């Protein structure tokens, strides 16, 4: 008998298998252990030590095989040992998943100590659910690890491209993500490779464990073992782990929490509850106070929602070789028949459709789930809005988006909103001018000129144009047309090439705005242009931090973050309107304010919003700002009857077609 067989018979273990296991553990240790001193863990040694023990103890302390004398003589006790080891193994896998995902997404930076515990409990429940499904320890560990790593990798790249974590509602937006993904580069970074390699080594180590004895063959025993942990997952998702002193404030960065906990808690908030005190009678009583107003003008109304258009100089001190938007700045300095200021939106770095929703419907994202995609999740049938209202006044209506028609479910939503015609990139000439790979703002505005020149006689035109030229990412180096015209100077020169590219794109947009206004200033028909950016661009975090710190002063962190939620806007007309500068307004008010300022008819819902704007000039998904500048976070909603009435009106508009009065929402 060979020495190897003799040793195997006596110990129950093959020396070669022992050697392979040792090598796997050493390799896993070399990859994983350095991560326990990254980010916040560097300053939290107690947590780091516990996670170290949790990750490695079950891999090192393995139970004997069944042919070991102890296992043969103490069958039931050995079964209990195996059960304990299985539990420890799942706890270990949960610790490994937590660290690998946190390292991959944000370098293990979590500012709340309790959040490590929250995340670990969440992953324990994930592994318990995996075991509940398959009833096998090895497969359960591999399945749980696969789920964790897929979520982590998706979260990593969503954070990289958009600057915000992945949400449950993003599943509905997966088609849009695929459409715009070609504008970004997705490098396979060292953090991703290292995390993936550590996950594979851990799973291989678990799979090579010699297990010839099953704890219990009956399926219901396995289910009873894992069901309590699955219930823990449900508890966490629904209520949070309040016992450790943290809930979830959605305005905060995900750096406050583990990625899995943030995802699950946001997922539970993806459902809209009926507002407190809501009823058909209460809704009718509130609506009776506002009856709308008859206007004197029906101008052609051109609305430009310009992709990622923002004035970074309003965020913080910015040094450039030239003004990125000289023409727009001139308009905003008191130009004749122009109203201008800053528009507060509810999204940053992406989520264009949510700004669309706020403008076209007058609804606020403040009353909808954080970071949800309302176009995909909630708009499922016809509902009253700006477009349907203008249509009832005899307008010819059209929507333009010079990109794919499949983004954000727009084709269906625009049809529900009542747009008479929709135009996408396939409706543009093959030789339409482009900047980088996208149809330019200039070409997009030429489509408006075409619609105006071919519209029905004696019929006012409403165009809603969502541009595409300035879409991220800003590291494009292809063959399309692009010239670096604007760049940072001073200490930041050559430090942020993506910022330089973005600023140059803004200059192209500025030139196109001049072209747009020049055209309509020469037409005889009364015409107005409403222009605003949908959100700020997702640029390097260090760059934004530098801008924001230059403006800190006495601002709170929440108020400072709001600076990233602001874009410029202006309302211009080729007829007399009252000028105004430095106005502060949010996107949910803008359409009502524009109609009123331009002399157009307004609805009861418009009048309600105009009245609320006097009490709360700015509101978004993060909170509310009062006229005296007082800032209320979303969790501390100001107590005003009108705000509650507005909430009820929004709920009815989107969710309660039975009790809403469509006529009240339209002029």
């Amino acid at each position: 008998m060979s020495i190897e067989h003799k040793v195997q018979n006596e110990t129950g273990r093959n020396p070669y298998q022992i050697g392979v296991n040792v090598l796997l553990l050493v390799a896993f240790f070399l990859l994983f252990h350095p991560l326990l001193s990254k980010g916040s863990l560097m300053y939290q040694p107690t947590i780091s030590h516990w996670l170290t023990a949790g990750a490695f103890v079950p891999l090192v302390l393995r139970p004997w095989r069944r042919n070991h004398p102890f296992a043969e003589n103490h069958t039931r006790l050995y079964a209990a040992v195996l059960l304990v080891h299985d539990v420890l193994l799942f706890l270990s896998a949960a610790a490994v998943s937590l660290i690998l995902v946190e390292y991959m997404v944000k370098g293990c930076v979590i500012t709340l100590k309790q959040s490590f515990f929250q995340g670990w409990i969440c992953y324990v429940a994930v592994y318990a659910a995996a075991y509940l499904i398959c009833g096998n320890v090895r497969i359960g560990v591999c399945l749980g690890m696969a789920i964790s790593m897929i979520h982590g990798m998706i979260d990593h790249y969503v954070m990289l491209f958009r600057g915000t974590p992945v949400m449950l509602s993003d599943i509905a937006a997966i088609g849009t993500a695929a459409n715009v993904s070609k504008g970004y580069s997705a490098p396979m970074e060292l953090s991703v490779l290292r995390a993936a390699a550590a996950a594979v080594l851990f799973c291989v180590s678990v799979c090579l464990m010699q297990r010839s004895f099953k704890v219990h063959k009956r399926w219901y025993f396995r289910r009873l073992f894992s069901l309590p942990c699955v219930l823990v997952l449900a508890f966490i998702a629904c209520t949070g782990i309040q016992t450790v002193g943290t809930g979830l404030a959605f305005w905060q960065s995900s750096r406050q929490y583990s990625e899995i906990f943030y995802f699950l808690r946001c997922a539970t908030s993806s459902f809209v509850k009926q507002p407190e005190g809501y009823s058909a009678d209460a809704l009718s009583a509130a609506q009776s106070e506002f009856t709308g107003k008859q206007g004197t003008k029906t101008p052609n109304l051109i609305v430009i929602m310009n992709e990622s258009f923002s004035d970074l100089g309003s965020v913080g001190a910015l040094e450039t070789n030239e003004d990125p938007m000289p023409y727009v700045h001139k308009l905003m300095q008191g130009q004749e028949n122009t109203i201008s200021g800053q528009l507060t939106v509810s999204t940053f770095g992406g989520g264009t459709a949510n700004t669309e929703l706020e403008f076209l419907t007058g609804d606020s994202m403040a009353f909808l789930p954080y970071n949800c995609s309302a176009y995909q999740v909630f708009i499922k049938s016809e509902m009253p809005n700006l477009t349907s209202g203008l249509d009832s006044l005899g307008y010819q209506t059209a929507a333009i988006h010079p990109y794919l028609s499949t983004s954000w479910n727009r084709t269906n939503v625009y049809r529900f909103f009542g747009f008479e015609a929709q135009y996408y990139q396939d409706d543009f000439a093959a030789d339409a001018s482009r900047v980088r790979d996208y149809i330019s703002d200039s070409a997009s505005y030429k489509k408006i000129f075409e619609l105006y020149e071919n519209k029905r006689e004696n019929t006012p035109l409403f165009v809603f144009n969502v541009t595409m030229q300035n879409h991220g990412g800003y590291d494009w180096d292809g063959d399309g047309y692009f010239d670096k015209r604007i760049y940072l100077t001073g200490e930041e020169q050559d430090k942020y090439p993506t910022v330089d590219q973005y600023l140059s794109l803004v200059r192209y947009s500025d030139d196109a705005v001049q072209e747009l206004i020049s055209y309509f200033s020469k037409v005889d028909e009364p015409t107005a242009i409403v222009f605003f950016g949908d959100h700020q661009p997702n640029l390097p975090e260090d760059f934004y931090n530098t801008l924001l710190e230059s403006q800190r002063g006495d601002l709170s962190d929440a108020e400072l973050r709001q600076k990233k939620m602001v874009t410029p806007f202006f309302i211009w007309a080729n007829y007399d309107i009252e000028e105004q500068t430095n106005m502060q307004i949010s996107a949910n008010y803008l359409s009502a304010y524009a109609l009123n300022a331009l002399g157009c008819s307004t609805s009861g819902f418009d009048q309600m919003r105009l009245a609320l704007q006097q009490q709360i000039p700015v509101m978004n998904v993060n909170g509310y700002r009062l006229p005296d500048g007082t800032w209320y976070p979303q969790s501390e909603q100001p107590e005003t009857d009108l705000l509650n009435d507005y909430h009820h009106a929004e709920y009815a508009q989107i969710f309660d077609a039975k009790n809403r009065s469509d006529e009240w929402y339209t002029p």
Side-chain angles (χ1 to χ4, degrees):
M1 180 180 294
S2 66
I3 296 177
E4 291 83 355
H5 287 161
K6 183 177 180 181
V7 172
Q8 184 173 3
N9 286 338
E10 292 176 354
T11 65
R13 299 186 186 277
N14 188 311
Y16 293 131
Q17 291 177 328
I18 294 174
V20 170
N21 284 324
V22 170
L23 289 176
L24 284 171
L25 283 177
V26 170
F28 174 68
F29 179 86
L30 294 175
L31 278 174
F32 182 78
H33 188 263
L35 306 185
L36 296 171
S37 60
K38 299 286 186 182
S40 306
L41 291 174
M42 182 184 301
Y43 309 103
Q44 299 177 20
T46 302
I47 294 176
S48 181
H49 293 158
W50 275 106
L51 290 172
T52 301
F56 288 100
V57 167
L59 296 180
V60 175
L61 301 179
R62 305 186 181 198
W64 306 280
R65 287 177 57 84
R66 188 179 179 181
N67 57 1
H68 190 279
F70 176 85
E72 292 178 345
N73 298 327
H74 304 84
T75 304
R76 292 189 176 183
L77 181 59
Y78 181 61
V81 170
L82 284 180
L83 179 60
V84 171
H85 185 264
D86 288 349
V87 173
L88 291 176
L89 197 57
F90 283 126
L91 298 180
S92 170
V96 172
S97 287
L98 173 66
I99 297 304
L100 293 183
V101 171
E102 293 305 312
Y103 169 70
M104 200 168 19
V105 178
K106 54 180 184 274
C108 289
V109 175
I110 300 180
T111 57
L112 297 177
K113 291 183 179 180
Q114 302 96 323
S115 294
F116 281 103
F117 176 68
Q118 287 177 328
W120 179 67
I121 291 294
C122 288
Y123 280 117
V124 169
V126 168
Y127 280 96
Y131 184 69
L132 181 67
I133 294 170
C134 64
N136 181 285
V137 175
R138 301 179 192 179
I139 297 176
V141 167
C142 293
L143 178 60
M145 188 64 70
I147 293 172
S148 304
M149 295 307 296
I150 289 172
H151 168 249
M153 289 182 183
I154 293 174
D155 206 14
H156 169 82
Y157 286 108
V158 170
M159 283 285 286
L160 182 65
F161 297 152
R162 190 176 68 188
T164 57
V166 67
M167 300 287 178
L168 181 63
S169 59
D170 288 327
I171 295 174
I174 193 168
T176 300
N179 288 343
V180 302
S181 62
K182 73 173 187 177
Y184 297 90
S185 60
M188 184 55 69
E189 298 176 346
L190 180 61
S191 61
V192 176
L193 294 174
R194 186 171 188 171
V200 169
L201 288 174
F202 182 87
C203 290
V204 172
S205 295
V206 171
C207 289
L208 289 181
M209 287 184 178
Q210 299 181 30
R211 299 287 300 275
S212 60
F213 184 88
K214 292 185 178 180
V215 175
H216 206 288
K217 295 182 179 180
R218 296 180 181 178
W219 67 270
Y220 55 79
F221 182 85
R222 303 170 187 160
R223 271 55 176 180
L224 287 175
F225 162 69
S226 54
L227 186 58
C229 288
V230 177
L231 294 177
V232 170
L233 174 63
F235 172 76
I236 294 169
C238 294
T239 63
I241 307 178
Q242 302 299 332
T243 55
V244 295
T246 64
L248 184 68
F250 292 121
W251 59 267
Q252 292 180 326
S253 165
S254 63
R255 290 179 182 272
Q256 302 283 332
Y257 312 98
S258 65
E259 294 301 305
I260 184 67
F261 180 76
Y262 193 80
F263 176 83
L264 292 174
R265 288 291 284 120
C266 289
T268 62
S269 299
S270 296
F271 306 96
V272 178
K273 298 179 181 179
Q274 184 172 287
E276 184 177 351
Y278 179 85
S279 69
D281 291 339
L283 182 66
S284 178
Q287 293 177 348
S288 65
E289 298 182 28
F290 303 96
T291 57
K293 178 182 176 182
Q294 188 66 34
T296 59
K297 299 282 188 181
T298 53
N300 298 305
L301 186 57
I302 311 300
V303 178
I304 308 295
M305 191 175 79
N306 196 280
E307 172 64 39
S308 299
F309 188 90
S310 69
D311 184 358
L312 295 179
S314 67
V315 181
L318 188 73
E319 293 184 40
T320 58
N321 62 318
E322 296 179 22
D323 186 348
M325 51 178 75
Y327 185 77
V328 171
H329 279 155
K330 183 179 179 181
L331 278 176
M332 298 179 68
Q333 291 170 359
Q335 197 81 346
E336 185 180 10
N337 299 325
T338 304
I339 300 169
S340 63
Q342 290 188 325
L343 180 73
T344 296
V345 298
S346 289
T347 184
F348 169 80
T352 294
N354 287 346
T355 306
E356 286 186 44
L357 178 91
E358 290 190 312
F359 179 83
L360 290 173
T361 67
D363 296 329
S364 174
M365 293 300 298
F367 300 130
L368 295 175
Y370 178 77
N371 220 25
C372 74
S373 173
Y375 268 20
Q376 279 120 333
V377 179
F378 301 126
I379 310 302
K380 301 298 183 183
S381 61
E382 293 182 3
M383 58 177 283
N385 64 95
L386 173 65
T387 309
S388 62
L390 293 176
D391 178 73
S392 69
L393 295 175
Y395 274 77
Q396 178 179 332
T397 61
I400 299 175
H401 178 54
Y403 197 55
L404 300 178
S405 61
T406 50
S407 297
W408 296 116
N409 193 35
R410 280 193 179 97
T411 54
N412 289 323
V413 172
Y414 286 169
R415 177 168 52 85
F416 294 146
F417 282 178
F419 279 103
E420 184 179 334
Q422 303 180 36
Y423 301 91
Y424 298 96
Q425 70 173 7
D426 291 342
D427 299 302
F428 284 74
D431 60 349
S433 66
R434 292 176 178 262
V435 175
R436 304 181 299 166
D437 281 336
Y438 299 121
I439 291 175
S440 69
D441 286 359
S442 177
S444 183
Y445 300 161
K446 285 182 172 63
K447 175 64 74 173
I448 299 176
F449 305 160
E450 177 186 325
L451 293 178
Y452 173 75
E453 292 167 3
N454 292 279
K455 72 181 181 70
R456 293 189 293 271
E457 189 174 355
N458 300 321
T459 302
L461 176 67
F462 169 56
V463 176
F464 183 67
N465 186 334
V466 181
T467 69
M468 191 65 185
Q469 172 191 287
N470 300 338
H471 200 283
Y474 305 110
D475 55 358
W476 181 87
D477 60 355
D479 298 328
Y481 177 72
F482 177 80
D483 184 24
K484 180 180 174 181
R485 303 169 63 185
I486 309 297
Y487 51 87
L488 296 172
T489 58
E491 295 182 0
E492 310 302 325
Q493 186 166 353
D494 298 326
K495 189 175 180 181
Y496 300 107
T498 56
V499 177
D500 294 341
Q501 185 169 128
Y502 170 74
L503 292 172
S504 296
L505 291 171
V506 169
R507 185 57 176 269
Y508 282 112
S509 292
D510 187 78
D511 292 343
V513 170
Q514 184 172 5
E515 182 181 355
L516 177 70
I517 291 182
S518 176
Y519 177 90
F520 282 107
S521 64
K522 299 172 185 176
V523 304
D524 295 329
E525 296 182 12
T527 301
I529 296 172
V530 180
F531 179 99
F532 57 96
D534 60 345
H535 54 72
Q536 290 189 25
N538 183 28
L539 296 171
E541 187 175 358
D542 289 346
F543 170 74
Y544 266 114
N545 289 340
T546 301
L547 290 183
L548 292 172
E549 285 304 318
S550 69
Q551 301 293 309
R552 174 170 287 280
D554 296 327
L555 297 177
S556 66
D557 288 343
E559 291 172 314
L560 208 61
R561 278 190 292 272
Q562 275 292 98
K563 284 184 167 291
K564 296 173 67 175
M565 311 293 279
V566 172
T567 67
F569 86 93
F570 67 80
I571 302 169
W572 173 91
N574 65 353
Y575 59 92
D576 289 339
I577 63 172
E578 185 177 348
E579 295 86 7
Q580 187 172 350
T581 59
N582 300 317
M583 185 177 179
Q584 304 291 321
I585 193 172
S586 48
N588 60 305
Y589 299 132
L590 184 58
S591 60
Y593 180 85
L595 292 176
N596 188 62
L598 294 169
C600 303
S601 296
T602 53
S603 67
F605 188 45
D606 293 331
Q607 291 298 315
M608 173 184 279
R609 285 181 286 147
L610 291 173
L612 181 61
Q613 187 211 358
Q614 300 303 309
Q615 298 182 15
I616 306 176
V618 169
M619 62 184 293
N620 70 352
V621 69
N622 290 335
Y624 311 84
R625 189 168 72 232
L626 303 188
D628 62 1
T630 304
W631 172 257
Y632 284 84
Q634 189 62 243
S635 58
E636 301 175 14
Q637 179 176 312
E639 289 296 330
T640 69
D641 291 338
L642 189 53
L643 181 61
N644 292 332
D645 291 343
Y646 173 53
H647 188 183
H648 292 181
E650 175 174 325
Y651 181 84
Q653 184 181 15
I654 300 176
F655 302 106
D656 190 6
K658 179 180 178 181
N659 290 311
R660 77 182 181 217
S661 170
D662 287 5
E663 292 77 14
W664 184 77
Y665 291 91
T666 56

